[in-house]
Amino acid sequence: MLRRTVTDELKKWKSRDKRKCLMIRGARQIGKTYAVDHFGKTEYESYISINFLKTPSYKSIFEGDLDTKTLLMNISLYIPDAKLIKGRTLIFLDEIQECPEAITSLKFWNEEPEYDVIASGSMLGIDYKRPASYPVGAIDYIDMHSLSFREFLWANGVNDEVYELLEDCFQKKVPVPLPVNERIMQLFRMYIVLGGMPEVLEIFFSSNSLMEADAKQRAILNDYRYDIAHYASADIKLKAEKCYFSLPDQLSKENHKFQYSAVEKGGNARKFSTSLDWLEGAYLTSKVMNLNGYDLPLRKSEDSQSFRVYATDIGLFVAMFEYSIKERILNPGKTDQASFRKGGIYEAVIADVLLKNGYRELYFRKDEASTFEIEFIIEKADGAIPIEVKSTNSRSKSLDNLLKKSEIPYGYKLISGNTGVSDKKITLPLYMAMFI
């Protein structure tokens, strides 16, 4: 069983005296159903799972009146073996996007606090079967992702003691012991290749075959292609698919800014911008905006016409390339014929890590008129914090220049080496992005 941090979040939710219905959002196949199933079976005396995609007939439970008395009666009629025990029952509404009336019902479940309700869905951020009335204010949310690097370490048997050692080195800004640093860096490269999709990892751990894991990644990508065709409107589906599968080309360019012409010759924002919005709403991509300045809040300085787009799982992104690039990532000492792509991949994995750290708004800075470029800028209480990403320990001219500004308190340089500090510049191993 894969250890997930969402389990702790679910337990915190359950411990609240006055808890609302809980909605877990995220892309398909990241482990939402598995996590709630495990939680429901271990934390409640009775657990009732209603999956609208697996059993479409369950939608009938929510036809007609949506008061909880009627809904509980309908559940007992459609699921005869369901045990509705007051105060000790969890009702799980899975793939809830397939039943708009079930989404509306969440408002009324809060009026019956003796039954806990969790909902989950994969297409909740898009305009798909929109409910007649959305239960604003009646829901708590958890945004779930594929496995983070910390969860990946757990899956590889790295215990909390090692994790705490790494975190201590980060806080004190001291080098990680060499054998530990080499091993964690090796696992980080493996994370780049495998990503965090649960089924991919389970296949790899059971077979120890990178090729079998790769086959599963490509199968998931095909599933996503089907999802786009199934859930996107007719005017968006083909364009959204083209945008999603153009990501390797976008990040293989010297300038990683998203360019519509890389999707289709002559492409423009008018044709493709709504497709990009759809991909974000489906939790398949995240957008990072370019900045014109560094005053807080950073969103005031964003350039809406200049942005980069990243896949929400690094392993799926790498699987869009040819298989041979995985060998090059895992063996960086060998001659690398794809260095131009590798730079984009290291950038993409840091985007993956920062997104899973909870940064909903990420930025970068690229001056089109010069070579100045900072891969990521995050907003903290003490100011704008730049993060430069290097696949090696090469010079960081852009970061050095930016740190001369008084309004920039400090910055991070992420490399494949070890920790070090030079004035306002903090150099860290790439994997330590998980502590930022």
Side-chain angles (χ1 to χ4, degrees):
M1 175 188 165
L2 296 171
R3 181 180 173 187
R4 304 298 303 269
T5 56
V6 71
T7 302
D8 296 329
E9 295 184 66
L10 292 172
K11 289 179 179 179
K12 287 179 183 177
W13 168 78
K14 185 175 185 289
S15 68
R16 297 173 191 162
D17 290 334
K18 294 182 179 180
R19 52 187 173 275
K20 301 177 182 179
C21 295
L22 181 66
M23 178 80 78
I24 302 178
R25 302 177 295 192
R28 284 192 181 279
Q29 303 187 51
I30 58 171
K32 299 187 298 296
T33 300
Y34 185 86
V36 178
D37 279 349
H38 177 74
F39 174 71
K41 291 172 183 176
T42 56
E43 297 290 327
Y44 290 83
E45 184 175 340
S46 176
Y47 172 60
I48 301 168
S49 178
I50 299 174
N51 188 311
F52 297 106
L53 198 59
K54 184 178 180 180
T55 313
S57 61
Y58 284 162
K59 297 176 188 177
S60 299
I61 295 171
F62 297 86
E63 292 178 354
D65 295 340
L66 295 177
D67 62 283
T68 54
K69 183 178 179 180
T70 299
L71 293 175
L72 290 169
M73 180 184 68
N74 289 346
I75 288 173
S76 65
L77 287 172
Y78 279 85
I79 312 174
D81 58 345
K83 297 178 180 179
L84 293 164
I85 306 170
K86 289 185 176 182
R88 292 175 290 176
T89 298
L90 174 64
I91 299 171
F92 180 34
L93 306 178
D94 199 6
E95 301 290 359
I96 196 170
Q97 77 279 351
E98 298 294 329
C99 184
E101 294 77 13
I103 297 176
T104 302
S105 78
L106 296 177
K107 177 180 180 180
F108 306 105
W109 282 113
N110 285 330
E111 299 171 3
E112 183 57 77
E114 293 179 309
Y115 294 93
D116 286 350
V117 176
I118 295 178
S120 177
S122 306
M123 297 290 166
L124 296 170
I126 62 174
D127 189 11
Y128 173 72
K129 295 183 179 179
R130 183 184 292 272
S133 174
Y134 195 85
V136 177
I139 307 173
D140 288 326
Y141 294 93
I142 291 177
D143 287 328
M144 188 174 171
H145 307 278
S146 61
L147 272 76
S148 66
F149 183 58
R150 181 179 187 180
E151 292 169 321
F152 185 80
L153 291 178
W154 286 334
N156 279 275
V158 177
N159 59 36
D160 289 336
E161 185 178 350
V162 174
Y163 181 84
E164 289 165 6
L165 167 66
L166 297 173
E167 188 172 24
D168 189 56
C169 290
F170 170 78
Q171 295 293 346
K172 295 178 178 177
K173 301 178 180 62
V174 297
V176 179
L178 187 59
V180 177
N181 185 58
E182 289 180 350
R183 176 56 179 156
I184 302 301
M185 195 64 220
Q186 183 183 43
L187 287 172
F188 190 67
R189 293 190 185 98
M190 185 61 75
Y191 179 68
I192 294 173
V193 166
L194 292 173
M197 300 301 282
E199 284 189 78
V200 172
L201 298 181
E202 288 168 357
I203 287 173
F204 179 76
F205 292 138
S206 63
S207 66
N208 200 33
S209 169
L210 200 60
M211 291 194 73
E212 289 190 28
D214 179 81
K216 182 59 187 179
Q217 287 172 322
R218 295 176 191 277
I220 292 174
L221 288 173
N222 281 331
D223 288 343
Y224 281 5
R225 195 187 300 270
Y226 169 78
D227 284 343
I228 293 171
H230 179 69
Y231 290 102
S233 59
D235 61 319
I236 286 178
K237 59 182 63 179
L238 184 58
K239 292 180 285 187
E241 180 182 329
K242 285 184 175 182
C243 286
Y244 185 61
F245 288 97
S246 80
L247 295 185
D249 291 332
Q250 300 287 349
L251 293 180
S252 294
K253 299 183 278 80
E254 186 174 345
N255 183 349
H256 295 163
K257 183 180 77 171
F258 190 91
Q259 296 178 3
Y260 297 104
S261 59
V263 179
E264 180 182 277
K265 188 175 180 180
N268 53 45
R270 183 177 180 180
K271 182 173 182 179
F272 287 105
S273 60
T274 54
S275 301
L276 286 177
D277 293 339
W278 189 95
L279 290 171
E280 271 199 292
Y283 311 104
L284 298 183
T285 62
S286 60
K287 188 182 289 186
V288 178
M289 307 302 297
N290 198 1
L291 287 178
N292 294 318
Y294 307 103
D295 293 334
L296 302 186
L298 290 176
R299 70 170 68 92
K300 288 186 176 181
S301 299
E302 69 178 37
D303 178 358
S304 61
Q305 303 303 312
S306 178
F307 55 88
R308 293 171 176 176
V309 177
Y310 299 94
T312 50
D313 181 80
I314 185 62
L316 293 183
F317 171 66
V318 173
M320 293 182 191
F321 291 94
E322 70 278 4
Y323 178 81
S324 62
I325 202 168
K326 297 188 174 186
E327 181 66 25
R328 296 166 187 159
I329 293 169
L330 294 174
N331 297 280
K334 293 184 178 181
T335 302
D336 187 2
Q337 298 177 5
S339 58
F340 67 100
R341 288 181 173 175
K342 219 171 135 185
I345 288 174
Y346 277 114
E347 186 181 302
V349 71
I350 299 304
D352 177 294
V353 173
L354 292 174
L355 174 70
K356 292 170 182 175
N357 283 0
Y359 289 101
R360 295 185 178 181
E361 295 180 345
L362 290 174
Y363 303 92
F364 73 100
R365 181 71 178 100
K366 171 69 174 176
D367 187 345
E368 301 289 352
S370 70
T371 59
F372 183 88
E373 179 178 8
I374 299 292
E375 281 77 17
F376 298 101
I377 299 174
I378 57 176
E379 185 173 318
K380 305 286 278 188
D382 48 357
I385 310 301
I387 302 172
E388 192 163 37
V389 182
K390 299 285 187 181
S391 57
T392 60
N393 192 12
S394 55
R395 290 185 61 193
S396 49
K397 185 177 178 181
S398 295
L399 181 60
D400 291 341
N401 288 335
L402 184 56
L403 291 176
K404 293 176 183 177
K405 293 180 177 290
S406 59
E407 66 266 33
I408 305 297
Y410 59 91
Y412 293 109
K413 178 183 178 183
L414 301 180
I415 63 171
S416 57
N418 213 321
T419 305
V421 180
S422 176
D423 195 18
K424 292 162 68 175
K425 181 169 64 179
I426 304 167
T427 300
L428 299 171
L430 286 157
Y431 60 79
M432 276 198 176
M434 65 178 169
F435 297 121
I436 295 175

